[in-house]
């Protein structure tokens, strides 16, 4: 018993000391990292006082590193993604806020050319209309990610931008709430976006993306204008494709066609009408859940939305939420709700495609444009429906 206790104590002691060692190695590395950030910030012209004020609030948060590295077991499906973001509660709230802020939204549309229902859709998707802006502290989140090293230069630059914001807008570093990735305020702007595009929407001489809805919405509109928002144009719309449609011409990266060309191929609106016979608007068609799900024709504003967040699911959710707030109904074709592929399955698909000579890029378990292109090429060669959508069937086929 005594012997047992003795070894147990020894074991705990050694565990404790290795933990302490780990912590101290870690904190030494972090101290070196903080010193380097301070140096870079001073070199970039931030005053020593501001550097100290911001860095005094920067704490390394292991939880943020864990969130950043977390890889879900399943890849997200379009139904999942959109279902979580565009739901009846949010649509209703958006419609009510459209009334509440009608004057502001009209002014913003006049000044920046972006209709109110789009501004509401961004606002709704980013923070549930200002309801949830993240509970982290921006200096801490950014310092943690800068020192974690995976994207050190990006997050160091964002942290230095944060210091500039503190200086320029007299912000209190302790009150700069953010997401775990450092996105701030009602529009979840990263510091560099904040620095470039935030404006004073309520003309009180301050720019406050946390507490002023007018500042947040004006800043969103200003950002979209800078991303080249096309006034009086839609983002896109749901379409119906004819039987026997040539799927290989779909995809955001495929050559664009004019509306007249899509019309000639038999593409119709979700309501069943022919597309307008015009040749001055170019568009692509995408099917985010494959040929069994909804198809969308997308215009230039779709890419503008992707300039805000580089995700097709995000852009479709913003577009659809905007439409719903403006009074449109549900999608004509609901996306299939079957579970997504596991990441290991996506990886296996990517590996097989690479081995077969279709370049799916580095097998990472993420369905990106290279994966879709390779899937499409494989489908075409094997006389399958070339929707570029990797599913269970494709997985089984490649496995056998
Ligand atoms: Ca203001």
């Amino acid at each position: 018993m005594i012997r047992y206790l003795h070894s147990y104590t020894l074991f705990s002691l050694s565990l404790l000391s290795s933990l302490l060692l780990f912590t101290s190695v870690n904190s030494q590395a972090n101290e070196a990292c903080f010193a380097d950030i301070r140096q870079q910030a001073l070199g970039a012209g931030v005053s020593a006082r501001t550097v100290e004020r911001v860095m005094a609030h920067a704490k390394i948060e292991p939880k943020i590193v864990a969130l950043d590295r977390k890889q879900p077991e399943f890849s997200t499906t379009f139904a999942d993604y959109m279902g979580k973001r565009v739901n009846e509660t949010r649509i209703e709230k958006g419609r009510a806020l459209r009334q509440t802020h009608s004057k502001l939204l009209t002014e913003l549309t006049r000044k920046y050319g972006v209709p109110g229902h789009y501004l509401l859709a961004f606002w709704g998707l980013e923070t549930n209309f200002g309801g949830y802006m993240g509970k982290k502290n921006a200096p801490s989140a950014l310092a943690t990610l800068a020192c974690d090293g995976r994207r050190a230069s990006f997050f160091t630059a964002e942290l230095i931008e944060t210091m500039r914001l503190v200086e320029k807008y007299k912000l209190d570093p302790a009150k700069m709430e953010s997401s775990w990735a450092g996105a701030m305020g009602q529009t979840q702007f990263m510091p560099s976006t904040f620095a470039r595009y935030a404006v004073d929407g309520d003309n009180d001489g301050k720019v406050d993306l946390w507490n002023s809805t007018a500042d947040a919405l004006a800043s969103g509109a200003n950002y979209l204008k800078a991303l080249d928002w096309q006034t009086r144009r839609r983002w896109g719309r749901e379409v119906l494709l004819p039987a026997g449609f040539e799927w290989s011409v779909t995809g955001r990266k495929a050559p664009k066609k004019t509306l007249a060309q899509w019309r000639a191929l038999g593409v119709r609106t979700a309501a069943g009408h022919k597309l307008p016979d015009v040749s001055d608007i170019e568009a692509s068609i995408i099917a985010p859940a494959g040929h069994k799900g909804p198809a969308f024709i997308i215009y230039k504003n779709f890419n503008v939305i992707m300039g805000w967040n580089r995700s097709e699911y995000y852009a479709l959710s913003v577009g659809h939420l905007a439409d719903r707030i403006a009074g449109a109904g549900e999608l004509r074709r609901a996306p299939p709700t079957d579970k997504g592929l596991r990441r290991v399955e996506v990886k296996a698909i990517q590996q097989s495609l690479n081995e077969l000579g279709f370049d799916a890029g580095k097998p990472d378990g993420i369905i990106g444009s290279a994966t879709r292109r390779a899937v499409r090429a494989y489908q075409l060669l094997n006389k399958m429906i070339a929707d570029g959508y990797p599913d269970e069937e494709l997985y089984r086929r490649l496995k056998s």
Side-chain angles (χ1 to χ4, degrees), residues 200 202 204 206 215:
D200 178 14
D202 56 13
D204 68 348
K206 288 181 282 191
D215 286 8

Side-chain angles (χ1 to χ4, degrees), residues 94-278:
R95 287 176 179 168
L97 287 165
R98 197 179 187 208
Q99 301 299 319
T100 315
H101 297 292
S102 65
K103 188 165 164 272
L104 170 68
L105 292 169
T106 307
E107 270 171 34
L108 294 177
T109 305
R110 189 179 44 76
K111 188 164 177 193
Y112 299 101
V114 186
H117 51 289
Y118 286 99
L119 299 175
L120 290 162
F122 279 100
W123 191 28
L125 241 69
E126 291 294 344
T127 58
N128 197 21
F129 310 105
Y132 186 78
M133 296 182 253
K135 291 278 173 235
K136 301 290 178 195
N137 167 261
S140 293
L142 296 166
T144 299
L145 293 167
C147 293
D148 180 42
R150 284 202 306 163
R151 282 157 295 160
S153 62
F154 171 77
F155 285 107
T156 303
E158 291 292 336
L159 183 52
I160 294 171
E161 281 297 349
T162 307
M163 297 173 187
R164 291 207 181 95
L165 292 174
V166 165
E167 229 158 50
K168 184 172 175 193
Y169 296 115
K170 312 216 176 335
L171 300 174
D172 179 352
K175 290 185 182 158
M176 298 177 80
E177 280 191 333
S178 76
S179 71
W180 61 264
M184 296 180 288
Q186 299 193 32
T187 46
Q188 293 287 283
F189 277 6
M190 288 302 284
S192 54
T193 308
F194 193 135
R196 255 170 261 154
Y197 305 110
V199 291
D200 178 14
D202 56 13
N203 301 310
D204 68 348
K206 288 181 282 191
V207 173
D208 185 345
L209 298 186
W210 292 271
N211 302 301
S212 166
T213 295
D215 286 8
L217 293 180
S219 301
N222 186 40
Y223 184 28
L224 290 167
K225 185 183 159 85
L227 290 169
D228 204 14
W229 183 270
Q230 308 288 294
T231 308
R232 280 185 282 280
R233 291 266 195 251
R234 301 172 53 85
W235 63 275
R237 63 166 80 244
E238 188 185 2
V239 287
L240 301 177
L241 306 178
F245 182 71
E246 179 48 73
W247 278 86
S248 61
V249 296
T250 63
R252 199 166 47 86
K253 299 276 170 84
K256 291 182 177 45
K257 294 181 188 300
T258 66
L259 280 183
Q261 286 172 319
W262 287 119
R263 176 188 161 105
L265 290 174
V267 178
R268 288 171 180 266
T269 68
H273 303 300
K274 284 184 174 175
L275 291 181
D277 194 12
V278 294

Side-chain angles (χ1 to χ4, degrees), residues 78 235-241 245 247 249-254 262 267 283-291 293-299 302-303 306 311-317 372 376 387 389:
F78 178 57
W235 63 275
R237 63 166 80 244
E238 188 185 2
V239 287
L240 301 177
L241 306 178
F245 182 71
W247 278 86
V249 296
T250 63
R252 199 166 47 86
K253 299 276 170 84
W262 287 119
V267 178
S284 307
I285 287 180
I286 58 170
H291 68 279
F296 301 92
I297 192 162
I298 54 170
Y299 309 123
F302 188 86
N303 291 325
M306 282 189 70
S311 151
E312 282 188 10
Y313 288 179
Y314 178 87
L316 287 165
S317 300
R372 288 187 195 280
R376 205 184 290 280
D387 58 3
Y389 183 73

